Every structure is written in structure tokens, then in C-alpha cells.
Amino acid sequence: MLKRPKGFNTFLFLKLPSAYLTGVRLKSINNETCVSTVKYKWINQNPFNSMFWAVQGMAAELSTGALVMGYIRETSAPVSMLVANNKATFTKKAKGKITYTCNDGLAIKKTIDAAIATGEGQVCWMHADGIDEAGDVVSKFAFEWTVKKKKNKKITS
């Protein structure tokens, strides 16, 4: 499993610059849980004096996707990953520092293991709740991750 958020944030800068520039950061990750944060600022605002919904979505997706990537990396098997669907609910204006936590690490591990064992695509819904500094829920996200073992390509000459 990924253990170094700093290294992952470098990956974010290089491969997902829009997330990095808007302030999305991975804070912690272990086998069960991943935490990401984003702070309200000029670059991620909407016209209503709160954080743009898509920036919240990037932070929430990171907290689920980092777990998926970590377990795929751990298996050393060629596995593809893709968000097939997502749902979001917004309950309060997002201002200040918002922390997204996903506790579905063991569920995605089981899903990836099943994809490798069966060779069939598998689906796992993962959830991330955004909590502001006052402890209030500002948004709830759910992502339907699909994982599938890649087929070996035969090289013919």
C-alpha cells in the first residue's frame, strides 16, 4: 500500500495539475482509509463565495482513487481502473479547509482480488464524505470504480 502522501502529491503535480493547482492534497493513507484535503481559496471558488463543486469532487475522488491505485500497485498484476459512475450530495457551502475521508480500502482490495482471480471486470462503490473545520458535512460523494485484469497482448512477427 502507498505509505507516502508526499510522493503521491508529486504525482498529482505531474499527472493531475488541475487538482494540484486548486489545492487538492493527499494527507494520509493506510490499508483501510485515505484522507485528502482542499482549502477554499481564489483559484477554486465559485460565484457564490464557496468552493466549486468540481474541486470538491477532485478531492473526494482522490481519497477513493488513491486506495484503488495502492492496491493495484501492491498486486503487481496489470489491472485497469475507471470511474464508471458517481453521485454527489451537497449540504452546506464549502469554505475553509475541507477533509475527505474514504474508509472503503478493504472493499476495493476484495474487488481487485476478485478481478484478478476471475479475469472478469468487477465493480465497487466507494464513498467519501467532506467535513469542514467545524465538523459539519458539506458534501458526500460516491464513486463506482470498475477494475479489470488486463489481457496479455500476444506479439506476432
Side-chain angles (χ1 to χ4, degrees):
M1 177 55 65
L2 301 167
K3 300 286 186 199
R4 296 180 17 228
K6 187 175 180 181
F8 196 91
N9 288 327
T10 301
F11 167 82
L12 208 61
F13 174 75
L14 296 172
K15 298 296 183 179
L16 297 165
S18 60
Y20 188 85
L21 292 173
T22 56
V24 174
R25 298 292 184 273
L26 187 70
K27 289 298 177 187
S28 66
I29 186 167
N30 61 43
N31 291 342
E32 296 178 21
T33 302
C34 184
V35 177
S36 63
T37 61
V38 63
K39 188 172 182 179
Y40 172 67
K41 52 187 176 177
W42 176 83
I43 194 133
N44 63 27
Q45 70 180 330
N46 65 26
F48 310 107
N49 296 318
S50 63
M51 193 179 302
F52 185 51
W53 70 268
V55 174
Q56 294 179 63
M58 286 190 287
E61 184 182 359
L62 176 62
S63 70
T64 64
L67 287 166
V68 180
M69 291 174 68
Y71 277 116
I72 288 173
R73 185 175 183 199
E74 194 174 85
T75 67
S76 301
V79 176
S80 63
M81 58 185 275
L82 180 69
V83 172
N85 200 347
N86 76 307
K87 299 175 187 175
T89 303
F90 302 90
T91 55
K92 183 181 173 187
K93 281 188 173 189
K95 292 186 140 195
K97 186 176 182 179
I98 311 300
T99 301
Y100 287 89
T101 303
C102 176
N103 295 309
D104 297 324
L106 298 180
I108 194 61
K109 179 184 185 336
K110 183 178 175 183
T111 303
I112 292 167
D113 290 345
I116 293 169
T118 66
E120 299 292 323
Q122 303 291 320
V123 174
C124 181
W125 278 95
M126 298 178 76
H127 304 85
D129 292 346
I131 310 292
D132 67 11
E133 293 165 302
D136 297 327
V137 175
V138 299
S139 57
K140 292 177 173 256
F141 283 84
F143 296 93
E144 180 186 32
W145 284 98
T146 60
V147 292
K148 185 175 182 181
K149 185 177 179 186
K150 295 178 186 177
K151 296 184 178 170
N152 294 334
K153 294 182 180 179
K154 294 182 181 179
I155 301 173
T156 57
S157 25

